[in-house]
Amino acid sequence: MNIREIFAQNLRAVRRDKGLSQEELAHRAELDRTYISALERNVYNPTIDVVGRLAEALDVEPATLLQRTTGKDEV
């Protein structure tokens, strides 16, 4: 799995664990909901600034969104 796939998987898992919709996460990170959806589907490559904004909005360290995990939906 490449880093973009890991990011996409972790973003979706953390967002769901926090009980947030894509819409709410987009609002908190000041991004468009369709962009969040595309990131979760591995369509776009986020900048490091976007990773930071999403991590802040999710109240996690940016590394959490980038780290490889052993389970499919674990973070």
Side-chain angles (χ1 to χ4, degrees):
M1 189 177 326
N2 69 39
I3 191 71
R4 283 176 52 188
E5 292 169 326
I6 292 166
F7 172 79
Q9 184 178 17
N10 289 345
L11 178 61
R12 176 174 281 152
V14 172
R15 178 183 60 77
R16 287 179 174 173
D17 287 348
K18 300 281 183 172
L20 297 175
S21 65
Q22 289 179 347
E23 185 81 31
E24 179 60 25
L25 176 57
H27 176 73
R28 290 181 183 194
E30 298 180 353
L31 298 167
D32 192 87
R33 188 215 46 88
T34 59
Y35 184 61
I36 301 294
S37 173
L39 289 173
E40 289 186 357
R41 291 180 288 119
N42 193 23
V43 173
Y44 292 133
N45 188 25
T47 66
I48 196 70
D49 292 330
V50 168
V51 172
R53 287 167 65 178
L54 290 166
E56 186 174 325
L58 291 165
D59 195 30
V60 297
E61 291 296 320
T64 301
L65 298 176
L66 300 172
Q67 69 188 18
R68 186 177 307 271
T69 59
T70 56
K72 184 176 178 192
D73 289 328
E74 293 178 18
V75 177

